[in-house]
Amino acid sequence: QATFPIDIAIQAVNNIHPTRKVSPNKVIMGDRVLSGKSLRSLVGIIIMLLENAITHSRMPDCAPDMSIECDCDEKGFKLRITNEISSEVKVKDEARKVKEIISKITVAKKSTDMVKKDGGSGFYKVAKILTTDLGCEYELDAFFENKKNFVFSLRILRGRIFV
């Protein structure tokens, strides 16, 4: 079930960042069973996204408030992670950078070449895992909401993720 990779990722991130433990509000819907290969890949993706939220929220003394919404049903897999950001984040500049990255991934869908440019982490790495490891068709989006939150959204349309 979808809650399993989320719980594993939260526990891993909290072990990595013991002074900035995340405790997101979770809304999990659907009851499809994930395949073993997709479970491992989804755990890796969620860990990356949670660590990015901790790092890029620019909240040095604590983890940002977060919510994770997941829907795992016959239509596919949807994941949305929303995290609070510090008022120190220059939203306009960061929004431009995020939009550029998402646009490159959306247009190219060949993120494996871009992973090297990104240092092997972040959105390009997520796209590489989805494309190469899972062979999925997907949609990614990321944006700032009300200058207080950052939202990452993933929708897997087709792929080998369910048993």
Side-chain angles (χ1 to χ4, degrees):
Q1 291 180 321
T3 189
F4 195 56
I6 293 168
D7 291 339
I8 292 169
I10 290 169
Q11 185 175 12
V13 168
N14 286 339
N15 286 336
I16 295 166
H17 301 279
T19 60
R20 297 170 73 190
K21 292 188 182 230
V22 296
S23 182
N25 179 34
K26 296 183 291 184
V27 177
I28 312 293
M29 298 184 302
D31 57 358
R32 298 279 309 265
V33 177
L34 299 166
S35 72
K37 183 176 182 176
S38 66
L39 175 67
R40 188 174 88 190
S41 295
L42 289 171
V43 168
I45 288 170
I46 296 167
I47 287 171
M48 267 187 281
L49 295 172
L50 294 177
E51 285 196 294
N52 281 348
I54 289 171
T55 302
H56 297 294
S57 67
R58 298 208 183 112
M59 303 179 93
D61 299 327
C62 62
D65 287 338
M66 290 186 197
S67 68
I68 299 175
E69 299 170 39
C70 185
D71 190 356
C72 187
D73 60 20
E74 62 279 342
K75 295 177 188 173
F77 180 88
K78 295 178 202 165
L79 176 70
R80 179 181 164 115
I81 299 177
T82 304
N83 65 273
E84 173 188 28
I85 57 171
S86 165
S87 59
E88 294 177 17
V89 173
K90 295 178 181 165
V91 173
K92 188 175 179 179
D93 294 339
E94 295 300 321
R96 183 185 48 76
K97 290 177 192 174
V98 167
K99 186 176 180 179
E100 185 178 307
I101 291 169
I102 296 297
S103 177
K104 284 180 182 178
I105 289 171
T106 302
V107 171
K109 293 282 181 168
K110 293 181 181 176
S111 62
T112 53
D113 292 336
M114 292 184 259
V115 170
K116 295 173 192 160
K117 296 177 189 173
D118 189 47
S121 64
F123 300 140
Y124 295 125
K125 180 76 173 183
V126 169
K128 178 210 169 275
I129 291 169
L130 293 167
T131 303
T132 306
D133 298 355
L134 295 178
C136 293
E137 287 183 36
Y138 62 90
E139 294 173 352
L140 289 180
D141 197 11
F143 55 92
F144 290 88
E145 188 176 68
N146 303 327
K147 296 186 180 183
K148 295 181 181 178
N149 294 308
F150 181 76
V151 178
F152 177 88
S153 174
L154 165 64
R155 186 169 154 227
I156 297 176
L157 307 168
R158 287 189 207 115
R160 305 175 299 263
I161 65 166
F162 300 115
V163 171

mmCIF file of all heavy atoms in Angstrom, residues 65 82-85 143-151:
data_model
loop_
_atom_site.group_PDB
_atom_site.id
_atom_site.type_symbol
_atom_site.label_atom_id
_atom_site.label_comp_id
_atom_site.label_asym_id
_atom_site.label_seq_id
_atom_site.Cartn_x
_atom_site.Cartn_y
_atom_site.Cartn_z
ATOM 1 N N ASP A 65 6.880 22.515 8.473
ATOM 2 C CA ASP A 65 5.588 21.827 8.489
ATOM 3 C C ASP A 65 5.366 21.248 7.102
ATOM 4 O O ASP A 65 5.688 21.885 6.095
ATOM 5 C CB ASP A 65 4.455 22.800 8.823
ATOM 6 C CG ASP A 65 4.451 23.209 10.286
ATOM 7 O OD1 ASP A 65 5.022 22.468 11.113
ATOM 8 O OD2 ASP A 65 3.867 24.260 10.592
ATOM 9 N N THR A 82 3.694 19.002 0.259
ATOM 10 C CA THR A 82 3.664 20.444 0.480
ATOM 11 C C THR A 82 4.477 20.734 1.728
ATOM 12 O O THR A 82 4.287 20.080 2.753
ATOM 13 C CB THR A 82 2.222 20.941 0.679
ATOM 14 O OG1 THR A 82 1.435 20.562 -0.457
ATOM 15 C CG2 THR A 82 2.172 22.453 0.848
ATOM 16 N N ASN A 83 5.409 21.696 1.623
ATOM 17 C CA ASN A 83 6.181 22.060 2.806
ATOM 18 C C ASN A 83 6.259 23.571 2.963
ATOM 19 O O ASN A 83 6.294 24.314 1.993
ATOM 20 C CB ASN A 83 7.571 21.440 2.800
ATOM 21 C CG ASN A 83 8.452 21.953 1.683
ATOM 22 O OD1 ASN A 83 8.400 21.409 0.585
ATOM 23 N ND2 ASN A 83 9.253 22.973 1.937
ATOM 24 N N GLU A 84 6.281 23.957 4.217
ATOM 25 C CA GLU A 84 6.428 25.360 4.592
ATOM 26 C C GLU A 84 7.821 25.839 4.196
ATOM 27 O O GLU A 84 8.773 25.067 4.204
ATOM 28 C CB GLU A 84 6.250 25.427 6.111
ATOM 29 C CG GLU A 84 6.520 26.741 6.759
ATOM 30 C CD GLU A 84 6.503 26.622 8.280
ATOM 31 O OE1 GLU A 84 6.806 25.537 8.829
ATOM 32 O OE2 GLU A 84 6.187 27.636 8.894
ATOM 33 N N ILE A 85 7.936 27.127 3.851
ATOM 34 C CA ILE A 85 9.245 27.711 3.554
ATOM 35 C C ILE A 85 9.452 28.945 4.426
ATOM 36 O O ILE A 85 8.505 29.594 4.841
ATOM 37 C CB ILE A 85 9.394 28.088 2.061
ATOM 38 C CG1 ILE A 85 8.288 29.050 1.620
ATOM 39 C CG2 ILE A 85 9.447 26.843 1.193
ATOM 40 C CD1 ILE A 85 8.477 29.631 0.243
ATOM 41 N N PHE A 143 5.820 24.083 -7.547
ATOM 42 C CA PHE A 143 5.512 25.507 -7.541
ATOM 43 C C PHE A 143 5.412 26.022 -6.110
ATOM 44 O O PHE A 143 5.337 25.244 -5.156
ATOM 45 C CB PHE A 143 4.196 25.780 -8.293
ATOM 46 C CG PHE A 143 3.028 24.978 -7.783
ATOM 47 C CD1 PHE A 143 2.185 25.488 -6.804
ATOM 48 C CD2 PHE A 143 2.772 23.711 -8.286
ATOM 49 C CE1 PHE A 143 1.116 24.748 -6.332
ATOM 50 C CE2 PHE A 143 1.699 22.959 -7.823
ATOM 51 C CZ PHE A 143 0.862 23.487 -6.840
ATOM 52 N N PHE A 144 5.419 27.326 -5.986
ATOM 53 C CA PHE A 144 5.246 27.976 -4.687
ATOM 54 C C PHE A 144 3.785 28.390 -4.554
ATOM 55 O O PHE A 144 3.185 28.873 -5.507
ATOM 56 C CB PHE A 144 6.171 29.189 -4.556
ATOM 57 C CG PHE A 144 7.610 28.794 -4.442
ATOM 58 C CD1 PHE A 144 8.394 28.623 -5.571
ATOM 59 C CD2 PHE A 144 8.181 28.576 -3.191
ATOM 60 C CE1 PHE A 144 9.718 28.237 -5.469
ATOM 61 C CE2 PHE A 144 9.511 28.192 -3.077
ATOM 62 C CZ PHE A 144 10.274 28.027 -4.223
ATOM 63 N N GLU A 145 3.261 28.200 -3.362
ATOM 64 C CA GLU A 145 1.859 28.486 -3.090
ATOM 65 C C GLU A 145 1.777 29.552 -2.000
ATOM 66 O O GLU A 145 2.288 29.342 -0.899
ATOM 67 C CB GLU A 145 1.203 27.176 -2.634
ATOM 68 C CG GLU A 145 -0.265 27.183 -2.481
ATOM 69 C CD GLU A 145 -0.758 25.782 -2.132
ATOM 70 O OE1 GLU A 145 -0.464 25.300 -1.027
ATOM 71 O OE2 GLU A 145 -1.412 25.175 -2.992
ATOM 72 N N ASN A 146 1.193 30.679 -2.319
ATOM 73 C CA ASN A 146 0.984 31.766 -1.359
ATOM 74 C C ASN A 146 2.264 32.286 -0.715
ATOM 75 O O ASN A 146 2.230 32.802 0.394
ATOM 76 C CB ASN A 146 0.024 31.330 -0.248
ATOM 77 C CG ASN A 146 -1.303 30.878 -0.784
ATOM 78 O OD1 ASN A 146 -1.787 31.378 -1.789
ATOM 79 N ND2 ASN A 146 -1.895 29.905 -0.130
ATOM 80 N N LYS A 147 3.389 32.122 -1.364
ATOM 81 C CA LYS A 147 4.695 32.568 -0.852
ATOM 82 C C LYS A 147 5.027 31.995 0.524
ATOM 83 O O LYS A 147 5.923 32.463 1.205
ATOM 84 C CB LYS A 147 4.786 34.092 -0.816
ATOM 85 C CG LYS A 147 4.707 34.723 -2.185
ATOM 86 C CD LYS A 147 4.940 36.206 -2.120
ATOM 87 C CE LYS A 147 4.861 36.798 -3.514
ATOM 88 N NZ LYS A 147 5.140 38.219 -3.527
ATOM 89 N N LYS A 148 4.292 30.951 0.933
ATOM 90 C CA LYS A 148 4.521 30.335 2.240
ATOM 91 C C LYS A 148 4.838 28.854 2.138
ATOM 92 O O LYS A 148 5.361 28.265 3.071
ATOM 93 C CB LYS A 148 3.296 30.509 3.135
ATOM 94 C CG LYS A 148 2.999 31.939 3.502
ATOM 95 C CD LYS A 148 1.790 32.015 4.395
ATOM 96 C CE LYS A 148 1.492 33.461 4.741
ATOM 97 N NZ LYS A 148 0.302 33.588 5.558
ATOM 98 N N ASN A 149 4.487 28.245 1.005
ATOM 99 C CA ASN A 149 4.640 26.805 0.843
ATOM 100 C C ASN A 149 5.237 26.468 -0.513
ATOM 101 O O ASN A 149 5.017 27.180 -1.497
ATOM 102 C CB ASN A 149 3.287 26.090 0.956
ATOM 103 C CG ASN A 149 2.694 26.189 2.322
ATOM 104 O OD1 ASN A 149 3.337 25.881 3.313
ATOM 105 N ND2 ASN A 149 1.451 26.634 2.391
ATOM 106 N N PHE A 150 5.949 25.337 -0.526
ATOM 107 C CA PHE A 150 6.438 24.768 -1.774
ATOM 108 C C PHE A 150 5.687 23.469 -1.990
ATOM 109 O O PHE A 150 5.512 22.683 -1.052
ATOM 110 C CB PHE A 150 7.944 24.497 -1.707
ATOM 111 C CG PHE A 150 8.486 23.929 -2.981
ATOM 112 C CD1 PHE A 150 8.682 24.742 -4.081
ATOM 113 C CD2 PHE A 150 8.788 22.586 -3.081
ATOM 114 C CE1 PHE A 150 9.168 24.225 -5.274
ATOM 115 C CE2 PHE A 150 9.271 22.059 -4.260
ATOM 116 C CZ PHE A 150 9.470 22.884 -5.358
ATOM 117 N N VAL A 151 5.240 23.240 -3.223
ATOM 118 C CA VAL A 151 4.449 22.051 -3.543
ATOM 119 C C VAL A 151 5.145 21.262 -4.643
ATOM 120 O O VAL A 151 5.532 21.826 -5.673
ATOM 121 C CB VAL A 151 3.027 22.446 -4.014
ATOM 122 C CG1 VAL A 151 2.223 21.212 -4.387
ATOM 123 C CG2 VAL A 151 2.308 23.265 -2.964
#
